[in-house]
Amino acid sequence: MSSTLSALLGLCASLARADRDLLFSTVPDPPGGSSGSWPFTNGFGGSDGVTNAEVEQYGATDSLGLPALTVYACTSASGCVASTKYVSIDQNWLWYTTDITGTSANTCDVTSGTSGCPDSDCSQCTLAQPASYSDTYGITTSGDALTLPFVHNSVLGSRVYLTDGNTASSSYTTFKMLNQEISFDVEMTQMGCGFNGALYFVEMAPDGDMSTGAQGPAYGTGYCDAQCPSDAHTKPDGTANAGLTQHVCCNEMDLWEANQAATAFTAHPCQTSAGDAIVGPYECSGDGCDSLTTSGVCDGSGCDFNSYRLGDTELYGSGYYPVDSSQKMTVTTQFHAPSGVLQSIVQLYTVNGNIVKKNEVALNSVGSFSNITDDYCTAENDAFAGLGTFAQHGGLTAMGASLDRGMAIVLSIWNASDSMVWLDGVDGSGAGSVRGPCTQDTSLDPTVAAAASVTYSSIKYGDLDTTYDPASTGSPYLMLE
């Protein structure tokens, strides 16, 4: 395995979870060498990146050539109906240039501010799309299946979204999930300790901030989450995020963060210190950007349900476990709101035709829980000495309001070395610190990393109990005492 890949994996070892977006990836060379530049420079470019011939320029109504993906909208009355969406990679995996054909000597390092651009305000710099996601990123689709490799040429990881169309004017697909459910199949290859295959919702602007100056969903702009990331290389108004100083926050609902050793799903609501709802992307400042403290406008830690952390260590894993992560499985998440206010978030699995539900787990003397409710989140916070930030930011009521307004879907693969222990290892000390069985990060092994990938398929969303087969055989699994 090349020394370049080993160096890239070493770079990831320095990341913390709160910085997951700052150095989420490494990217291939820009077109034409000096004729364009990636949004951030990492020093690991090679000759196996994008060439001039692989770059395309598109008008507002031209087809962009984004990969197509079939998804299904389901109702109790009509069953599941297929539709075509398109896969758009985040802007951080694209590049900025003043000449998309790669013949100019002008560069655009927008994160350095005007000093990195050929003009005074970087207005001449635009995002460019590769002609082939498969050649550039290794990302492929086939029918309703999307495969994201962890390593392709000099690229590590990826973060992609779904759009309604295949032109520069297309919007992100909006999922309104209150009192609804979503299911998807997932297959993980060589995704051991230290990796994270994630599928989640964030309340991005449907137009990717295009109305305020950004290039929009077809170019992966507008990302935000409850960690209040600063990695976006343009601000919501489309201007350069010089020095990566502008943080953008929004509500986040993690449906699936997992590798073959551990998994969790987590609600991350946002609310201002005055108790006002945060709707869509929110540009924070100062302590308001610190989502891991009570000063932040978002609950970056979130209310998570990780069965291993809660004492159910025999539910999930590779091999003999009821939820066998070496197998293709269906993950279903339900958002129950019978009175119009989110009351519970329930997750279940279908593995080899068997439905596996989470066992009830006891938290101190408060009670036993098998899904996320406000009572569960309070009990978890008290049992694990939390800061109370979930309730502070509006709890399930705020999370449900965001789901009702509509959220964009994010699909990704990434690693962060020892900081992934919040998912699969021992994070700190005391009650709740043991999140999973991992003691060694396999993602830094170049051979393992080169083979790692995740495939998401058969994404279905709609009415409760319509996106999976409720008649499947129930699992006889019971948690070991």
Side-chain angles (χ1 to χ4, degrees):
M1 192 57 61
S2 71
S3 59
T4 297
L5 178 54
S6 296
L8 294 175
L9 295 171
L11 171 67
C12 291
S14 66
L15 304 183
R17 187 192 180 209
D19 297 324
R20 67 178 180 179
D21 304 298
L22 182 60
L23 286 173
F24 194 95
S25 73
T26 53
V27 288
D29 290 341
S34 62
S35 63
S37 80
W38 293 105
F40 55 84
T41 56
N42 52 54
F44 296 110
S47 60
D48 51 0
V50 178
T51 66
N52 294 355
E54 295 175 309
V55 181
E56 299 288 349
Q57 185 168 22
Y58 303 96
T61 60
D62 292 336
S63 174
L64 288 173
L66 301 176
L69 184 71
T70 301
V71 302
Y72 307 89
C74 305
T75 64
S76 300
S78 304
C80 296
V81 177
S83 64
T84 300
K85 306 299 180 183
Y86 297 89
V87 177
S88 175
I89 199 163
D90 185 89
Q91 64 167 313
N92 287 4
W93 279 258
L94 301 175
W95 59 92
Y96 291 86
T97 179
T98 59
D99 181 2
I100 207 164
T101 63
T103 59
S104 168
N106 290 332
T107 62
C108 290
D109 181 8
V110 297
T111 62
S112 296
T114 57
S115 64
C117 300
D119 56 331
S120 61
D121 59 0
C122 297
S123 61
Q124 295 179 27
C125 302
T126 58
L127 286 163
Q129 278 278 8
S132 170
Y133 272 41
S134 176
D135 291 345
T136 306
Y137 309 112
I139 294 172
T140 59
T141 59
S142 177
D144 65 9
L146 166 68
T147 297
L148 306 176
F150 181 64
V151 175
H152 183 75
N153 295 330
S154 59
V155 182
L156 291 186
S158 58
R159 182 171 69 212
V160 301
Y161 317 111
L162 296 187
T163 67
D164 286 335
N166 192 23
T167 69
S169 59
S170 300
S171 298
Y172 288 124
T173 301
T174 298
F175 294 80
K176 295 187 176 184
M177 298 305 302
L178 190 66
N179 214 39
Q180 301 279 285
E181 71 179 23
I182 182 169
S183 294
F184 57 90
D185 292 349
V186 61
E187 300 170 84
M188 296 176 289
T189 302
Q190 295 293 324
M191 288 277 287
C193 299
F195 289 102
N196 190 339
L199 190 154
Y200 57 106
F201 289 129
V202 293
E203 198 178 347
M204 297 164 62
D207 73 346
D209 300 327
M210 189 159 40
S211 62
T212 56
Q215 284 184 246
Y219 293 91
T221 61
Y223 182 74
C224 57
D225 65 31
Q227 305 294 321
C228 299
S230 64
D231 74 314
H233 300 288
T234 55
K235 299 177 183 179
D237 64 2
T239 61
N241 188 14
L244 300 178
T245 57
Q246 179 61 69
H247 296 250
V248 184
C249 319
C250 65
N251 293 282
E252 174 183 352
M253 179 65 226
D254 297 332
L255 306 175
W256 177 255
E257 291 192 280
N259 53 42
Q260 290 183 322
T263 184
F265 68 108
T266 309
H268 297 273
C270 300
Q271 191 175 80
T272 69
S273 59
D276 297 326
I278 287 181
V279 178
Y282 177 89
E283 297 180 54
C284 64
S285 61
D287 291 344
C289 301
D290 192 348
S291 64
L292 299 181
T293 72
T294 56
S295 299
V297 297
C298 290
D299 179 20
S301 298
C303 176
D304 73 312
F305 201 107
N306 176 334
S307 292
Y308 196 104
R309 185 187 190 197
L310 297 166
D312 189 358
T313 60
E314 300 295 322
L315 173 67
Y316 179 93
S318 179
Y320 70 90
Y321 297 89
V323 183
D324 181 359
S325 60
S326 68
Q327 303 288 320
K328 181 178 182 178
M329 71 180 76
T330 301
V331 182
T332 301
T333 308
Q334 301 177 323
F335 302 95
H336 292 270
S339 62
V341 177
L342 184 62
Q343 294 184 359
S344 64
I345 306 173
V346 177
Q347 191 166 90
L348 53 91
Y349 313 92
T350 306
V351 187
N352 291 326
N354 295 320
I355 292 177
V356 183
K357 297 181 179 180
K358 293 183 182 294
N359 278 307
E360 289 194 348
V361 291
L363 283 172
N364 292 339
S365 59
V366 176
S368 297
F369 305 90
S370 59
N371 51 69
I372 292 178
T373 64
D374 279 328
D375 286 345
Y376 162 77
C377 295
T378 297
E380 181 195 42
N381 180 81
D382 293 345
F384 299 155
L387 296 176
T389 48
F390 183 75
Q392 173 192 336
H393 291 90
L396 285 190
T397 299
M399 192 75 259
S402 179
L403 290 163
D404 194 33
R405 288 189 295 267
M407 307 180 85
I409 199 168
V410 186
L411 308 97
S412 69
I413 182 171
W414 61 293
N415 84 332
S417 185
D418 59 350
S419 69
M420 205 65 79
V421 295
W422 62 265
L423 172 67
D424 61 20
V426 179
D427 187 17
S429 61
S433 61
V434 181
R435 311 295 185 95
C438 294
T439 58
Q440 184 176 5
D441 182 6
T442 64
S443 72
L444 297 183
D445 182 320
T447 301
V448 174
S453 68
V454 61
T455 297
Y456 303 106
S457 61
S458 193
I459 298 173
K460 300 177 180 179
Y461 59 98
D463 294 342
L464 296 173
D465 294 327
T466 64
T467 67
Y468 72 107
D469 183 6
S472 295
T473 304
S475 170
Y477 166 70
L478 295 174
M479 184 171 70
L480 299 178
E481 298 293 340

